Amino acid sequence: MEDWIALGDLSKLLGVNIRTIQRLTQEGVLTAEPDPEDKRRKVWPTAESVQAYIGHQLSRADSNQRNSRIQDLEEKKLAAETELKESQRDLHVLKTDIASGKYLPVEQVQLDYSRFFVVLKKFLLAVPNRVSGLVGGYVDPVTARALEKDIAKEINTMLTSFVIAGEAGGAP
């Protein structure tokens, strides 16, 4: 016959209180039988009860570990959702700023720059003619015309260098 143990002794063997043994028996983790000598009391199979209790504790530990992993994943998910919400908020602020005119569309800026450089080029190309008119009273017409051509050539060279440097993304 199997070795049987009383409630108080099982509680001491497992290191738990009597109420824990009663609860585990109610939950079906441990099984009890009526005591053959005193039918009012119950007894538990010793080896089977110890094994069942150890299995129950291992199962709880595994469940706690899984719960901890799930909690870690939920925290990561919450952090990712928070970052997403912040990024959506930032995007909304940016769109609102653009709609309110805080920023200019790239096409408009490019068009404005193009217009500016056309006006600048016309202004610069008019400089040799103005210089020629200013020095005309001090030098003969041939020298004034030569000076005008030299200044125009220099301005054209500088404008070409400026365009090439702008396309290359560096300074001349």
Side-chain angles (χ1 to χ4, degrees):
M1 173 147 185
E2 197 168 345
D3 185 25
W4 297 89
I5 190 168
L7 178 62
D9 294 334
L10 181 59
S11 120
K12 287 179 188 172
L13 178 66
L14 298 178
V16 296
N17 64 36
I18 291 174
R19 181 65 193 122
T20 301
I21 301 294
Q22 292 170 338
R23 182 180 49 79
L24 291 174
T25 303
Q26 287 175 348
E27 291 174 1
V29 174
L30 302 175
T31 55
E33 299 283 332
D35 188 344
E37 297 172 7
D38 182 358
K39 300 289 183 194
R40 294 176 293 162
R41 292 179 20 167
K42 292 186 176 184
V43 290
W44 285 259
T46 306
E48 182 182 313
S49 296
V50 170
Q51 290 172 353
Y53 180 73
I54 290 171
H56 174 70
Q57 291 299 89
L58 289 174
S59 174
R60 281 185 53 203
D62 185 48
S63 175
N64 287 343
Q65 189 176 20
R66 266 190 261 123
N67 288 343
S68 174
R69 177 72 176 135
I70 289 171
Q71 186 176 2
D72 288 345
L73 292 173
E74 286 175 348
E75 287 174 6
K76 287 179 182 178
K77 178 184 174 191
L78 184 60
E81 287 174 349
T82 301
E83 285 181 31
L84 175 64
K85 293 291 184 190
E86 288 174 355
S87 127
Q88 288 174 336
R89 178 188 48 100
D90 292 346
L91 180 61
H92 176 71
V93 168
L94 182 61
K95 285 181 177 180
T96 303
D97 288 348
I98 289 170
S100 68
K102 213 173 193 180
Y103 298 98
L104 298 173
V106 172
E107 297 79 18
Q108 181 181 349
V109 173
Q110 288 173 335
L111 184 62
D112 288 348
Y113 270 118
S114 294
R115 288 178 185 155
F116 170 77
F117 286 114
V118 165
V119 170
L120 179 65
K121 183 178 178 183
K122 285 181 182 179
F123 172 79
L124 291 173
L125 292 177
V127 169
N129 191 18
R130 292 191 62 179
V131 169
S132 174
L134 289 173
V135 297
Y138 302 103
V139 295
D140 63 278
V142 173
T143 305
R145 181 72 182 134
L147 180 62
E148 183 181 343
K149 283 184 178 181
D150 287 345
I151 293 173
K153 181 180 177 189
E154 186 61 29
I155 288 174
N156 278 322
T157 302
M158 291 177 79
L159 284 173
T160 302
S161 296
F162 182 73
V163 169
I164 292 171
E167 289 174 353

